[in-house]
Amino acid sequence: MNSHSRNLTKAPDRADAEDALDLLRKWASTATETEIAQLNPAVARLLPNSPVGNYPDLSRHYPEEFEADSSYRATLPDLQNGPSSLIRGAHEQIQHVGISNFRLPIRFHTRDNGDLTLETSVTGTVSLDADKKGINMSRIMRSFYKHAERTFSFEVMEAALDDYLTDLESLDARLQMRFSFPVKIESLRSGLSGYQYYDIALEIVDHDGERTKIIHLDYVYSSTCPCSLELSEHARSARGQLATPHSQRSVARISLVQEPGAPVLWFEDVIDHCRRAVPTETQVMVKREDEQAFAELNAANPIFVEDAARLFCEALQSDPRIGDFRVVASHQESLHSHDAISVLTQGPTFAARSIDPKMFATLIHQG
């Protein structure tokens, strides 16, 4: 049986494929199992109600001795780098696609010239053009491991960013590292000391060839309500009634842009700014004299949530190394069953009309 192509120089269309499929089925219906297996065992699947008896037996033994050389790897299917015809859904650019919470130990410098190795959670994303099916996400992890043995800083983050921007042929990218940074804190009066842990994230955003370096830090403090303090004192003086003002654990999330070319902005520097702005940071090691001192410190620094936002703002404005910033404060009220919140931004980096619906729910200190 002979078949003649309509036009060998023309790309086959659906009609050509249907003709070829019909021809293949007619041949397979009269061919032997051996002939089908010699051509391609999968052809047997084209026959209606025909068991695939000639499909080769598959081994159930794990081949520990097998090595995947370069020629074998070249034959492996790669759907994520397939043609745009495989795209499902709208053919639109995706602004961010990548990995979240990839963890590995990273070394960090401290202000006193020491090094710390901390478990670090990495989030890495790149933009994806409308005509690209996807990315090989393992490349993000490989590029990070390539630099993980070096003492980490924004410069090393940039090296990892350069790697996977090149590997993934992307235009925009974002890299973020989250970790818990320990700082030894002395008690107020007893002379004891203990470690306070600060949730910190470093972020680099590469957009249209411009890079922005951002530091995020959560600062946990006690906020005594000024109104409650005055009402308590009124009860004491006017009626001889014992009363206590309400105060609560509060969290401020400070996000700031490090100015390009500025001297190093240490994590400890940002923490110091927070302490100067709102000195009622929660305590680590406490004896009775420390607890009394903390009560006195709170009474000396009563603040509404609006006060907190402005005090943090004032401290950040005083440092020329800091550019745009955002202060998000949450006072988790002991008087009310709801929280008091405030958001203050400076500069375009953090200005936004919309707020993540669960942003304030994340401002919970995990003790």
Side-chain angles (χ1 to χ4, degrees), residues 227-290:
C227 182
S228 180
L229 178 61
E230 291 299 320
L231 291 172
S232 296
E233 290 305 303
H234 179 273
R236 288 169 182 261
S237 61
R239 299 172 15 247
Q241 176 63 48
L242 180 64
T244 59
H246 77 83
S247 59
Q248 51 274 320
R249 183 183 291 172
S250 306
V251 180
R253 180 163 297 156
I254 308 297
S255 301
L256 59 88
V257 173
Q258 183 175 325
E259 287 282 33
V264 175
L265 180 65
W266 298 99
F267 306 142
E268 295 92 332
D269 295 338
V270 181
I271 294 167
D272 286 347
H273 284 317
C274 291
R275 287 190 190 135
R276 281 192 293 270
V278 178
T280 52
E281 181 178 23
T282 54
Q283 301 295 294
V284 182
M285 299 295 287
V286 174
K287 297 182 73 173
R288 283 179 296 175
E289 59 266 38
D290 301 312

Side-chain angles (χ1 to χ4, degrees), residues 102-110 114-122 144-145 148-152 177-183 195-202 267-268 271:
F102 163 57
R103 294 182 296 171
L104 72 169
I106 298 294
R107 286 185 298 153
F108 294 89
H109 269 320
T110 62
D115 276 356
L116 290 173
T117 299
L118 305 173
E119 179 184 303
T120 303
S121 170
V122 176
F144 230 88
Y145 265 108
E149 296 302 319
R150 298 165 59 184
T151 299
F152 246 75
M177 300 194 310
R178 292 185 296 110
F179 50 93
S180 190
F181 187 75
V183 177
Y195 282 100
Q196 190 81 275
Y197 285 83
Y198 299 88
D199 290 337
I200 295 178
L202 302 183
F267 306 142
E268 295 92 332
I271 294 167

